[in-house]
Amino acid sequence: MNPDADTLWRAPRWALAALLAVLGMLGPFSIDTYIPAFSGIAHSLGATPVEMQQTLSAYLFGFAFMNLFHGALADSFGRRPVVLWGIAVFTLASAGCALSQSVGQLVFFRALQGLSTGAGIVVSRAVIRDMFPPAQAQQVMSQVTIYFGVAPAIAPIVGGWLLVHTGWHSIFWFLTGVGVLLWSANYKLLPETLHPDQRQPFEVRHLMRGYWQLGSSPRFLLLALASGVPFNGMFLYVLAAPAFLGDHLALQPTQFFWFFLLTIAGIMAGAWASGRMAGRVVPKQQIRHGFVIMLSVSLVNVVANLLLPPHPAWSLLPIAVFAFGWALMVPVVTLLVLDLYPERRGMASSLQAFIGSTANGVVAGVVAPLIMHSTLWLALGSLLMMCIGLVAWVWLHRRWPDIGRAIAQ
């Protein structure tokens, strides 16, 4: 924690949480905004469904790759420069997407977007821990998760409206405008939270030692898996939304918002409950509660899909409950990751995001296209994603039982 934290931000804590949440929202917002325009873009550019999927995969893998470096750069040069350069590149890449005349150009600029947007979510986590002690950091992380949950809910609505009224190019011009506003806000408001004494030297050997220290740590890897992979239990349904909602549940595009509304309500409620538990409930117990909820509702979802035909009356609720369980535990696990190596919080946030976003890329590029045509397979895929995180947490708990045992103060 920065020893001068009290003097760096004098506005209300929720205002900093909102600023950091908007930074973190940029990544998922730039994914979900253009998803409703897939068919329109494909028709305009003469692209095949596989080529359109590449525009998403290029973004996700670019996001995952650059996540390896955002945190290390922030540990050496400070949080603020990395954020501002990341937003600047994102803004230029969004304009490039809007001006693209072929699917190849769109894939290139989408990859450039992915390379840049990770700066927000990676650095914002490190900023939280720079500024607040553990219990307050969990509360702020929970507030960020609440705000963060708004992005997937409103992004498809905004993208669909822009597509219908002004064409698909306007979606990326809109993201360009978002980038300009976000850069201006962070230039004026975001303080440099990394204390000069805590900066790491930007040397290849030093960086390699840091990557090796974290990458060879079973505790770090298991915590990163426990926090990053279960997210795909609900992200899988977001990626499969056109098939899941339109084909299986026979919903009209104007009714898709019910899915996003319920899921985001689950995320926001879980994050709110996590913040309320901060400083009162042992982190280990809170994580257990989250996994019990996700496991229980995942099993119920599989059984329901075996016995009942898909129907909106029951098919959407399990995803919302799953989202609640995930949001209940993920702020706690994230803080445990950041506190394993306090001197390398930026790098730890980078590697955690890399593991999570790599899983997202695999799910988007491989898993979702294979199983989106069956609600039962979607339910089983969601259960599998959750089980990977659960196994990682149980293994960690058995080998290092003291992790998360003390109440954060």
Side-chain angles (χ1 to χ4, degrees):
M1 181 176 170
N2 191 318
D4 302 323
D6 291 340
T7 64
L8 295 177
W9 184 268
R10 296 187 179 277
R13 187 175 62 192
W14 64 264
L16 179 58
L19 181 65
L20 296 176
V22 174
L23 274 177
M25 286 167 56
L26 189 61
F29 196 84
S30 60
I31 295 175
D32 296 338
T33 308
Y34 96 120
I35 285 180
F38 258 42
S39 59
I41 297 173
H43 179 74
S44 174
L45 299 181
T48 66
V50 173
E51 289 173 326
M52 286 306 301
Q53 191 67 33
Q54 289 173 349
T55 67
L56 179 59
S57 297
Y59 176 95
L60 291 172
F61 283 111
F63 183 86
F65 172 76
M66 196 58 197
N67 275 343
L68 284 171
F69 306 104
H70 288 309
L73 292 170
D75 284 340
S76 297
F77 299 108
R79 316 302 192 202
R80 183 179 159 89
V82 174
V83 167
L84 293 177
W85 275 104
I87 299 173
V89 173
F90 169 81
T91 304
L92 294 174
S94 298
C97 289
L99 296 170
S100 294
Q101 300 298 311
S102 68
V103 70
Q105 293 175 2
L106 184 60
V107 168
F108 171 78
F109 285 112
R110 285 292 291 170
L112 193 59
Q113 278 187 319
L115 289 169
S116 58
T117 51
I121 191 168
V122 167
V123 178
S124 63
R125 291 172 179 171
V127 168
I128 290 172
R129 198 58 187 89
D130 288 342
M131 294 290 290
F132 301 102
Q136 292 184 31
Q138 183 181 332
Q139 293 172 346
V140 175
M141 194 78 73
S142 300
Q143 290 173 347
V144 167
T145 304
I146 291 174
Y147 298 130
F148 177 84
V150 174
I154 64 174
I157 299 172
V158 172
W161 188 90
L162 290 171
L163 172 68
V164 170
H165 293 283
T166 54
W168 70 266
H169 297 277
S170 64
I171 295 174
F172 293 107
W173 285 123
F174 171 76
L175 292 175
T176 303
V178 169
V180 171
L181 291 175
L182 192 55
W183 190 93
S184 300
N186 280 274
Y187 180 80
K188 293 179 180 179
L189 301 175
L190 184 68
E192 178 51 67
T193 63
L194 182 65
H195 194 273
D197 294 341
Q198 297 170 337
R199 297 198 177 196
Q200 300 293 314
F202 191 72
E203 300 172 353
V204 174
R205 287 185 179 181
H206 184 78
L207 290 175
M208 290 301 102
R209 282 198 300 270
Y211 284 119
W212 176 256
Q213 182 183 29
L214 271 66
S216 62
S217 168
R219 289 185 300 170
F220 173 83
L221 294 175
L222 291 171
L223 280 170
L225 289 172
S227 65
V229 179
F231 170 77
N232 288 281
M234 57 183 175
F235 187 52
L236 182 61
Y237 282 96
V238 174
L239 295 169
F244 175 63
L245 301 175
D247 300 338
H248 299 309
L249 302 186
L251 294 176
Q252 297 299 316
T254 54
Q255 298 173 308
F256 283 13
F257 78 94
W258 286 109
F259 164 71
F260 294 103
L261 181 65
L262 288 171
T263 303
I264 300 313
I267 292 176
M268 295 176 73
W272 177 84
S274 179
R276 295 286 294 176
M277 292 180 179
R280 303 178 182 179
V281 178
V282 174
K284 182 180 293 187
Q285 184 178 351
Q286 187 171 330
I287 295 169
R288 182 170 66 246
H289 291 337
F291 274 116
V292 167
I293 291 170
M294 288 189 289
L295 176 60
S296 300
V297 76
S298 295
L299 292 173
V300 169
N301 194 28
V302 170
V303 172
N305 276 280
L306 281 170
L307 301 178
L308 301 173
H311 193 279
W314 66 264
S315 295
L316 301 180
L317 186 59
I319 306 167
V321 177
F322 186 102
F324 176 88
W326 175 81
L328 182 68
M329 67 92 181
V330 77
V332 186
V333 182
T334 299
L335 288 174
L336 291 178
V337 169
L338 296 178
D339 285 345
L340 276 179
Y341 299 98
E343 72 283 2
R344 297 188 186 274
R345 285 199 175 102
M347 185 178 288
S349 182
S350 268
L351 288 177
Q352 180 192 25
F354 171 77
I355 291 171
S357 55
T358 299
N360 296 348
V362 171
V363 169
V366 180
V367 179
L370 289 176
I371 67 175
M372 66 172 56
H373 305 295
S374 165
T375 57
L376 176 59
W377 280 106
L378 282 170
L380 289 169
S382 178
L383 175 63
L384 175 62
M385 295 298 110
M386 187 283 307
C387 284
I388 292 174
L390 177 60
V391 169
W393 173 250
V394 171
W395 188 358
L396 179 79
H397 178 265
R398 289 182 178 275
R399 188 168 178 184
W400 292 280
D402 290 336
I403 288 183
R405 175 172 288 180
I407 294 180
Q409 299 297 329

